[in-house]
Every structure is written in C-alpha cells, then in structure tokens.
Amino acid sequence: MATAESTETAGPADTADTGSDQDYFEEFPVSARLVRLNFLVAFVALGIGGLFGMLQALHRTDTLRILSSPDYYTLLTGHGVLLALVFTTFFIAGLFTWGVSDSLGRELPGDWISWSWWTMMTVGTVMATVAILGGLIDQIPMQADVLFTFYVPLKAHPVFYVGVVLLLVGSWVAGFDWFRTFWAWRKDNRGERIPLRTFMVLITMLMWYLSTMGVAVEVLIFVLPWSLGIFEQIDPLLTRSLFWFFGHPVVYFWLMPAYLVWYTILPKLSGGRLFSDGLARIVFVLFLLLSTPVGFHHQYIDPGIAEGFKFVAMTNTMFLLLPSFLTAFTVVASMEHGARQRGGSGYLSWLRSLPWDRPAFTACALAGLLFAAGGFSGMVNAGMNLNYVVHNTLWVPGHFHLTVGTAAALTFMGISYWLLPQLTGKKLRGRALAIIQPYLWFLGMTVLSNAMHRGGLMGLPRRTAEPEWNLVEGDFASGVGALSEVQLQIAVGGVLLFTGVVLFLLVMLLTWTGRQAPSIGVDRTIPPALSGPENSPRILDNYRLWFGIAVVLVVIAYGIPLGDMVADGLLNPGSPPISP
Ligand code: CU1
C-alpha cells in the first residue's frame, strides 16, 4: 500500500507495504471474521443496554414508571455491565484485531487460540447477563443486582462473577493474540519502528494487564469464593480498593482505543494527516505510566486509607491531564491540516471546510468536543476537596456519560460507519440516518449530561430508583422548579440517546444484510504523519522499559495501603453478605 503521499514526506505510512489494493476483508479474511464476530456481540449489548438506560431515565424522573424499584436496580446493573464492560470490550477487541492486522499487513494466526478468546468472552457475557436478568425473570433462580461496580457486601449469584472472570481472561488471551502477531512481524522486520496502530494496541494491553490484576485478585481470591459460601465474611475496603485499582484504568481502556481512532483515522477523514507520530506515542506511554496509580481518587470518602496516599493519587490524576491536553492539541492540529488541504482558511473558519456530512468524521469530532467537557467535570471529581461536594451525586454519572458514553461510545459507533463496509464488502446503507445519528447523540448527551451535572449540584443522589426521594432532596436543596426542569431534561436526553442507538443499529443491520458490492468506495490507506516516527525517539518503542516503570509507580502508590488493609483484614474478618 505505498501511498502517493509517502513520496512527498520522509515518514513511512502506518500501513505495511503489502502492495495490495484489495479490500480489508479480502486481504485478511480470518481477522475480518474475528472483527465481525466481536462487533456483533458489541452491537447486541449496545441495543439491550441502551434500552435499559432509557427505561431508567424515565423511571427515576417519574416520567414513565413501568418498573418496580427492585427491577430498577436490575436494569441499572444490566445497563452498566452491558455498555461499560461488554459493548466496550468487544468493540475494542474487534478494533484492535483490525488495527494490528491492517497496520502489520499480517493475519492473526486464526488457530484455536484466536477463536478461544472470543468464545470465552461470549460465554462469560451470556453467563453474567443471564444472572442479571434473573432479577427480572422468576424462572431464572439467580440475581446479580450489584451494579457494574459489584461492591461487596452486595452479593450476586456466583454465575455472575464467573461470567465476569471469563470476559476478563478472554481479553487477556486476545492481548496475547495481538502480541504474538506482532512478535511474528518483528522477526521479519528487525530494527523497524512499530507501526503506530500496533504500538497503541500493545501499550493499551500492557496497561490492561497491569490494572486488571486488581479486579482479578478481587474476584478470584475474595468475591467468588465468598459468593460460593467457601468463607462467610469479606472485607469491603480491601475489595473496593482492588476494584478501583482496575476501575480507573478501565476508563483508559475505553479511551485509548478512541484515541487510536482519533490519531490514525480521524486525520484522514478530515482530509489530512496526523500532525505528529511522536506526540501520539508519548501520549500512550504516559497513559501506561499514570493510569493505574490513581485509583484512590474514587475513594476519597472511604475511611481506612491514609490521606497521604489519597493525595498521591490526586497528584497523579492531575498529571494525567497532560496526555489529554497533548491529544487535544495534536488531534485538532491534524484536523486543521485536513481542513486547509480541503481549501479551508482563516483562524477558525477552516472549521467549515471539514466534512460535516461524513458520519464517521462527525461522530469522532463531536465525541472529542464533549470529551473536553467531560475532562473538566473530571477535574472536579479528582480534586480531594471538590470531590466531597459531588461524591455519590448524579454529577458523577453525568461525567462518565461524557467520557465512556460519548468520547468512547460515539467514536466507536462513528468509526463503524467507516469500518463495517471494509469488513463485509458491502456498501453503507441508510446513509441519511447515519448522517443524523452523531448530531442526535451529541444533542441527547448535552441535554442529559448537563442536567445530571446540575442535578448533582442540587444534591440529587446517584443509584436511586425513587423519584419521590429525589424530590424531597431536591426541595431541600434548591426548590422544585429547577429540579423538575432537570428531571425533564434527563428524561428527554434518555429518549434522544436511545433513538440514537436505534438509528445506529438500523444502519448496521441494513448494511450488514445488504448485498456485496464490487466496490465499496472506501479508501483504506492511512496516510503517513506530517512528523513521522523518524522524528520520534526510538526509546518510546521500548515497551518493556515503560511497563517496568509503570509497575514501580503502582508499587509506590499501592504497596503500603494495600499491605495495611490485608494486615487489618486478618484481625477484622469483615462483613457478612447482604442480598439486595
Ligand atoms: Cu477515575
């Protein structure tokens, strides 16, 4: 795939030179099949999880109450698990499979290991979903109304935890699959720079291996044996801390794939090229270093953790803003370059020259815009003093609907408009719907998230089913008028967002079930960066070094407090289970 552009710059493209002008699914049939299977599960989860979200928004705002209160928590768990854990993980697995195979110019091995990880993740998802739905359906003798954070002593049926473990282990094996594809490429390409997309996948997975250790220990050593009745009591503080050891980095597990799209595909969709390959690599290395030693910023209110370690977590969190600011700069610079290639000019009027009628572009650009807002509310969450004001209020879900719910989810939906034709050999159908969909999502999320933030400042609690209780709290805080306006906006936002999910799934269904076309009309080459890898230090590719430093930082941030908790737990065995 030698591009014309590579002759006019020094930098090589982020695509191996295969000399092929085939479509992706023809060149890599095995990888394409894997990607399609992952996207299939992701889209089913998105549909169910999205529906649950709308029903919750209508229930807790007293707009439409067809749920009992216990069922509200079942749907809340389903919404969180199916969207934040299942939709994301499967979509990312598909995206990474595409990114590695396409940028290395190499198929995944496609042996039993390649199929085992998808199978494991899918079986795990079905198990966890069945356990959750047991809360709604009398015929299923299980429940898992423990929300996606599954805090103990709330206790779910063991099948739920086994399902979560399978999803997790499957993702580890998937990472191994990408690493071994890379190692095979390395044998034939000694001394070459790691292609950018593969570099991003490997760094993200190293971050994932490090951070999932927390939740793996939590579930396998503590929660699962406890839910099986092997021991009776459990330590809430220790298990929460292990959860958040994983729970903050999981945010970056959602975002780094969105960044992969913004750095490598968005510049091309804008009509230009990535501004700097080196900055992109630095950003990913910083995420590997800083994503994990920050989890205590979710536990400022928890007793039993020394303030000093909370302060370390806060400082590291604020350092994490740096790679996000670097990303904002690099991505906007790349978009501006694209706009100027398309004839744009002026200080800001180049914005008009961007392809706002291209759904993949619009989705990524709008996702980035709302992510900036999410970053600002995230700074409030991360500040030890301000956190006390918003902790456990609706502000927090308002924040993460901008990050995972838009920066990640809208980017994933948007890039599907570009990827699905390449994966199936079919032209995008329902294009008019696809053009509207990102704008609808943007509008719905602006309304919903703004109202959630405002509601949080009024004292509306999160994780509550009862509108009456919300009203009492709201009255107390700032009067019924403002509160009912906020409630209405949450209901309207929820309906708009679910409509956005339906439009997206409709376009996917129409496209997927269409006939194969001789030409899908998508150019899949990724142009080289303006400042290519030859300008970025080679040490950035030394992922073993960065992983080693990341481990040291985690030991500094977590070693003493976790050690204290374990020692304490030996004296105080903890809490008996509570069945919701
Ligand atoms: Cu966090």
Side-chain angles (χ1 to χ4, degrees), residues 75-270:
L75 291 202
L76 182 55
T77 308
H79 177 67
V81 169
L82 286 173
L83 294 186
L85 302 180
V86 176
F87 165 64
T88 51
T89 305
F90 277 90
F91 190 89
I92 292 163
L95 182 75
F96 280 6
T97 299
W98 165 81
V100 167
S101 53
D102 195 50
S103 70
L104 297 178
R106 237 186 156 88
E107 275 276 32
L108 260 67
D111 54 9
W112 67 272
I113 296 177
S114 295
W115 300 109
S116 74
W117 59 259
W118 179 82
T119 311
M120 232 186 295
M121 282 166 48
T122 305
V123 170
T125 297
V126 171
M127 287 172 74
T129 308
V130 168
I132 293 169
L133 292 180
L136 293 179
I137 304 165
D138 291 342
Q139 283 75 17
I140 305 176
M142 301 175 196
Q143 65 77 31
D145 296 345
V146 291
L147 313 192
F148 87 101
T149 44
F150 45 90
Y151 284 160
V152 305
L154 290 178
K155 185 165 138 180
H157 193 278
V159 163
F160 172 79
Y161 301 114
V162 174
V164 170
V165 167
L166 284 176
L167 179 61
L168 194 68
V169 175
S171 75
W172 290 346
V173 179
F176 171 69
D177 219 10
W178 302 319
F179 263 98
R180 66 183 176 140
T181 309
F182 163 70
W183 289 326
W185 173 88
R186 178 51 95 204
K187 264 195 194 147
D188 304 337
N189 298 276
R190 298 234 179 258
E192 269 190 48
R193 294 302 291 264
I194 307 172
L196 185 57
R197 277 175 288 169
T198 298
F199 176 81
M200 291 171 159
V201 170
L202 302 184
I203 294 287
T204 305
M205 290 315 291
L206 288 174
M207 187 279 291
W208 187 239
Y209 285 124
L210 179 61
S211 64
T212 47
M213 286 302 138
V215 73
V217 169
E218 180 200 359
V219 175
L220 286 173
I221 299 187
F222 296 102
V223 181
L224 182 59
W226 166 77
S227 83
L228 287 166
I230 294 173
F231 46 84
E232 272 179 9
Q233 296 190 322
I234 193 159
D235 183 344
L237 178 62
L238 178 59
T239 47
R240 275 165 76 93
S241 300
L242 289 168
F243 180 86
W244 287 116
F245 181 103
F246 144 89
H248 186 79
V250 75
V251 168
Y252 290 96
F253 182 64
W254 303 327
L255 283 175
M256 286 157 82
Y259 282 19
L260 181 151
V261 171
W262 297 354
Y263 276 107
T264 64
I265 312 175
L266 180 59
K268 173 204 172 70
L269 295 175
S270 315

Side-chain angles (χ1 to χ4, degrees), residues 388-555:
Y388 297 140
V389 180
V390 297
H391 199 92
N392 274 340
T393 70
L394 213 48
W395 170 286
V396 177
H399 160 74
F400 64 67
H401 278 80
L402 293 175
T403 52
V404 65
T406 304
L410 183 55
T411 300
F412 295 168
M413 288 188 276
I415 214 58
S416 302
Y417 298 131
W418 187 74
L419 274 175
L420 194 65
Q422 304 180 50
L423 297 167
T424 56
K426 297 167 182 182
K427 274 199 162 148
L428 189 72
R429 291 208 290 168
R431 197 181 165 77
L433 301 180
I435 292 176
I436 306 169
Q437 192 265 346
Y439 292 102
L440 189 65
W441 192 273
F442 182 81
L443 178 68
M445 195 55 90
T446 306
V447 173
L448 177 102
S449 168
N450 179 52
M452 282 177 151
H453 280 95
R454 282 182 59 206
L457 291 179
M458 291 175 187
L460 275 188
R462 65 186 285 203
R463 300 181 172 126
T464 44
E466 305 314 325
E468 294 84 356
W469 198 71
N470 291 339
L471 275 171
V472 174
E473 284 292 294
D475 272 350
F476 185 72
S478 55
V480 180
L483 186 80
S484 53
E485 181 207 320
V486 158
Q487 295 280 55
L488 178 68
Q489 287 174 16
I490 292 174
V492 170
V495 172
L496 289 176
L497 287 167
F498 182 63
T499 313
V501 167
V502 170
L503 291 189
F504 168 74
L505 292 177
L506 208 59
V507 174
M508 291 296 109
L509 192 70
L510 283 172
T511 304
W512 213 321
T513 54
R515 254 191 264 154
Q516 282 203 334
S519 157
I520 53 166
V522 179
D523 168 22
R524 70 185 180 95
T525 51
I526 306 276
L530 288 169
S531 166
E534 72 286 348
N535 299 327
S536 71
R538 276 196 167 261
I539 196 167
L540 289 172
D541 285 15
N542 188 346
Y543 58 81
R544 288 187 180 84
L545 170 71
W546 304 120
F547 185 70
I549 298 177
V551 171
V552 171
L553 289 178
V554 165
V555 170

Side-chain angles (χ1 to χ4, degrees), residues 277-430:
D277 171 283
L279 274 180
R281 284 178 207 252
I282 287 172
V283 163
F284 271 68
V285 167
L286 284 172
F287 280 137
L288 169 59
L289 296 182
L290 292 171
S291 290
T292 310
V294 297
F296 285 137
H297 71 210
H298 292 259
Q299 296 178 275
Y300 290 146
I301 306 282
D302 285 20
I305 302 164
E307 293 292 297
F309 287 103
K310 293 178 179 172
F311 185 80
V312 169
M314 177 177 76
T315 316
N316 285 345
T317 309
M318 295 302 173
F319 275 122
L320 261 176
L321 291 169
L322 176 63
S324 290
F325 284 137
L326 287 176
T327 297
F329 171 77
T330 312
V331 172
V332 173
S334 308
M335 280 165 56
E336 182 180 345
H337 172 256
R340 295 195 188 279
Q341 298 302 107
R342 297 164 62 92
S345 59
Y347 282 120
L348 286 176
S349 36
W350 56 265
L351 281 166
R352 281 195 309 232
S353 304
L354 288 167
W356 294 105
D357 57 346
R358 256 184 113 166
F361 166 82
T362 317
C364 294
L366 294 180
L369 196 58
L370 280 191
F371 182 54
F376 292 125
S377 71
M379 279 189 248
V380 172
N381 303 341
M384 272 173 92
N385 46 356
L386 289 179
N387 182 282
Y388 297 140
V389 180
V390 297
H391 199 92
N392 274 340
T393 70
L394 213 48
W395 170 286
V396 177
H399 160 74
F400 64 67
H401 278 80
L402 293 175
T403 52
V404 65
T406 304
L410 183 55
T411 300
F412 295 168
M413 288 188 276
I415 214 58
S416 302
Y417 298 131
W418 187 74
L419 274 175
L420 194 65
Q422 304 180 50
L423 297 167
T424 56
K426 297 167 182 182
K427 274 199 162 148
L428 189 72
R429 291 208 290 168

